[in-house]
């Protein structure tokens, strides 16, 4: 039975939400603003206001060093997370790149692997999907379709880009096609073998399995479909009671099927005010919040007490080995002395042999 573990009230309707791969930060799009929270203590670290219309999508790079934001203002922005965290509260940090090559709202974002050296894909209602280089901000590829694109994703090898259209079609774009062209047009009638057909309404989300063999898609036709990428055949259809807004493939956690598996540390409520701007009565002076061990009200052994107990056990064991077992140490010392004596004999024999070879008169 599903249970609500925490209900967090945000400053406004959340249009997009993502978590950093390292689990430390949460990003949310509220109207035109990007809110950045720290998961461990719920502090609101930054509010970024560089978009002019509502946010539509957010995503992190795989190393959590950068994140991308897309909005209805046709802009996709690349942010350096550490620059955002180090900025003064009075300053508005600047994005690392501003991508303004789309002419209609951004609908989806996707980051490949490689951290700041990764490639990113953007989808838009302007019927294009574009591939960018995060490090330089350069546009690598622009593909024009005959319908607006609502979702985009890359496979792990980044050989293919998958784009979901407003008409329910899913297009497979080869990123290693020859000849190399920065501007391409995807002609459905010529590339019929690279289209997944089955959805009856716009495709809202796409996800590729880790081995690159399966594609998961969700749609407003109230279904989620699992496709075989090689044959383009639909393997399974899962029906829902409303439009599907998000679906993705993840590796199952180790305790997924454990009925007693519950989070050991409760998630704190996320603050509505920037960290350091709350009243002193509530927040106190600025500093670093450090939470050790399980966050629980009942009395119990703390993390430091457990560490001290473990250290004392290790120290007593070490003392026993060094002091209490003299007989074992004596045997070890005698064995080592015997081995040293043998090595000295071998070394002397080698020296004598080498001396005879060197001093032997030439014939």
């Amino acid at each position: 039975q599903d249970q609500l573990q925490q209900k967090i009230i945000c400053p406004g309707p959340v249009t997009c939400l993502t978590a950093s791969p390292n689990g430390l930060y949460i990003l949310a799009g509220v109207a035109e603003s990007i809110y950045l929270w720290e998961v461990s203590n719920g502090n609101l670290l930054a509010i970024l206001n560089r978009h002019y219309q509502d946010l539509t999508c957010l995503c992190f790079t795989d190393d959590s060093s950068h994140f991308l934001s897309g909005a209805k203002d046709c802009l996709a922005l690349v942010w350096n997370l550490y620059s955002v965290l180090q900025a003064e509260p009075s300053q508005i940090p600047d994005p690392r790149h501003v991508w303004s090559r789309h002419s209609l709202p951004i609908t989806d974002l996707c980051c490949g692997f490689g951290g700041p050296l990764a490639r990113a894909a953007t989808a838009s209602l302007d019927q294009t999907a574009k591939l960018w280089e995060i490090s330089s901000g350069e546009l690598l590829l622009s593909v024009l379709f005959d319908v607006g694109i609502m979702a985009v994703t890359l496979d792990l090898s980044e050989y293919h880009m998958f784009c979901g259209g407003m008409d329910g079609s899913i297009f497979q774009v080869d990123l290693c096609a020859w000849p190399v062209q920065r501007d391409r047009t995807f002609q459905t009638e010529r590339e019929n073998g690279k289209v997944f057909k089955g959805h009856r309404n716009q495709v809202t989300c796409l996800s590729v399995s880790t081995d690159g063999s399966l594609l998961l898609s969700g749609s407003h036709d109230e279904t989620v479909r699992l496709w075989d990428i090689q044959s383009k055949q639909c393997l399974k259809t899962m029906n829902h009671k409303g439009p599907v807004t998000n679906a993705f493939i993840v590796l199952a956690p180790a305790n997924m099927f454990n009925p007693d598996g519950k989070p050991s540390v409760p998630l704190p409520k996320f603050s509505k005010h920037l960290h350091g701007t709350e009243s002193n009565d509530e927040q106190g002076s600025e500093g670093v919040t450090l939470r050790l061990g399980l966050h629980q009200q009942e009395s119990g052994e703390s993390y430091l007490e457990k560490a001290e107990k473990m250290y004392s056990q290790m120290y007593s064991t070490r003392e026993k080995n060094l002091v209490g077992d003299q007989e074992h140490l004596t045997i070890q010392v005698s064995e080592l002395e015997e081995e040293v004596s043998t090595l000295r004999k071998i070394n002397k024999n080698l020296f004598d042999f080498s001396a005879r070879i060197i001093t032997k008169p030439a014939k």
Side-chain angles (χ1 to χ4, degrees):
Q1 182 179 359
D2 294 334
Q3 293 182 354
L4 184 64
Q5 294 182 359
Q6 182 69 273
K7 183 178 181 180
I8 299 172
I9 305 299
C10 291
V14 176
T15 56
C16 49
L17 183 73
T18 189
S20 61
N22 59 17
L24 299 180
Y25 303 99
I26 289 285
L27 281 175
V30 179
E32 310 97 32
S33 303
I34 303 171
Y35 284 73
L36 174 65
W37 282 284
E38 188 173 5
V39 174
S40 62
N41 50 32
N43 285 338
L44 178 59
L45 303 180
I47 302 175
L48 306 175
N49 297 293
R50 286 299 301 265
H51 284 284
Y52 305 105
Q53 294 186 36
D54 291 355
L55 270 291
T56 57
C57 44
L58 291 163
C59 72
F60 272 95
T61 56
D62 62 324
D63 66 343
S64 305
S65 66
H66 291 72
F67 62 90
L68 283 70
S69 61
K72 293 181 179 180
D73 58 6
C74 315
L75 297 178
L77 307 182
V78 180
W79 302 85
N80 186 317
L81 176 62
Y82 305 113
S83 298
V84 172
L85 294 177
Q86 292 171 2
E88 295 294 331
S90 58
Q91 295 178 345
I92 300 177
D94 292 324
R96 181 173 178 180
H97 300 300
V98 177
W99 294 335
S100 57
R101 301 289 291 271
H102 285 290
S103 57
L104 284 176
I106 307 291
T107 54
D108 198 14
L109 292 167
C110 174
C111 269
F113 282 88
L117 301 178
R119 298 184 293 180
T122 58
S124 172
L125 293 177
D126 63 6
Q127 302 185 359
T128 66
K130 300 183 187 294
L131 191 68
W132 310 80
E133 188 177 54
I134 293 179
S135 59
S136 64
E138 292 293 326
L139 175 63
L140 303 177
L141 175 67
S142 179
V143 184
L144 177 64
F145 300 88
D146 52 7
V147 294
I149 303 301
M150 301 300 298
V152 65
T153 192
L154 301 166
D155 62 356
L156 286 183
S157 61
E158 298 185 21
Y159 281 173
H160 304 290
M161 179 170 65
F162 300 92
C163 306
M166 293 192 68
D167 62 350
S169 300
I170 303 171
F171 310 101
Q172 177 181 316
V173 179
D174 294 334
L175 300 181
C176 300
W178 189 264
V180 177
Q181 295 175 314
R182 197 175 76 166
D183 296 297
R184 287 159 54 182
T185 301
F186 191 96
Q187 298 177 343
T188 306
E189 62 277 4
R190 291 186 182 180
E191 305 187 65
N192 195 36
K194 297 178 182 178
V195 181
F196 301 79
K197 294 184 178 179
H199 284 297
R200 301 182 305 275
N201 205 333
Q202 68 182 41
V203 177
T204 56
C205 50
L206 294 169
S207 181
V208 182
S209 62
T210 53
D211 62 355
S213 64
L214 300 175
L215 175 69
L216 186 74
S217 62
S219 170
H220 276 190
D221 64 5
E222 304 183 358
T223 65
V224 171
R225 291 177 179 263
L226 190 66
W227 307 83
D228 178 71
I229 292 178
Q230 186 67 30
S231 64
K232 307 294 184 294
Q233 296 298 313
C234 180
L235 304 178
K236 189 175 183 179
T237 301
M238 292 155 277
N239 295 306
H240 290 262
K241 296 181 180 179
V244 178
T245 57
N246 205 356
F248 51 90
I249 299 174
V250 294
L251 296 174
N255 64 342
M256 179 177 178
F257 301 105
N258 181 10
D260 299 327
K262 295 180 181 179
S264 57
V265 180
L267 192 67
K269 288 185 178 290
F270 289 173
S271 173
K272 296 182 182 180
H273 305 282
L274 281 174
H275 179 54
T277 61
E278 297 94 335
S279 63
N280 290 332
D281 295 336
E282 296 179 1
Q283 186 69 19
S285 59
E286 290 190 19
V288 177
T289 302
L290 183 63
R291 180 174 296 161
L292 298 175
L294 298 180
H295 180 67
Q296 51 190 10
Q297 297 297 329
E298 64 272 11
S299 61
E301 205 173 22
S302 69
Y303 175 83
L304 294 177
E305 291 171 342
K306 290 180 180 178
E308 188 174 356
K309 183 179 178 181
M310 186 178 295
Y311 177 78
S312 63
Q313 291 175 351
M314 292 172 60
Y315 187 77
S316 62
T317 304
R318 180 170 175 267
E319 287 293 317
K320 180 180 179 182
N321 290 337
L322 293 179
V323 179
D325 201 356
Q326 293 294 338
E327 184 179 352
H328 180 67
L329 287 176
T330 305
I331 294 174
Q332 278 189 328
V333 169
S334 62
E335 289 177 351
L336 290 174
E337 288 178 346
E338 186 176 345
E339 187 175 354
V340 168
S341 176
T342 304
L343 290 174
R344 282 176 176 170
K345 290 179 182 179
I346 294 174
N347 186 44
K348 185 177 183 305
N349 292 336
L350 286 173
F351 177 79
D352 294 340
F353 176 76
S354 301
R356 286 198 303 271
I357 294 295
I358 294 172
T359 59
K360 187 177 181 179
K363 291 181 180 181

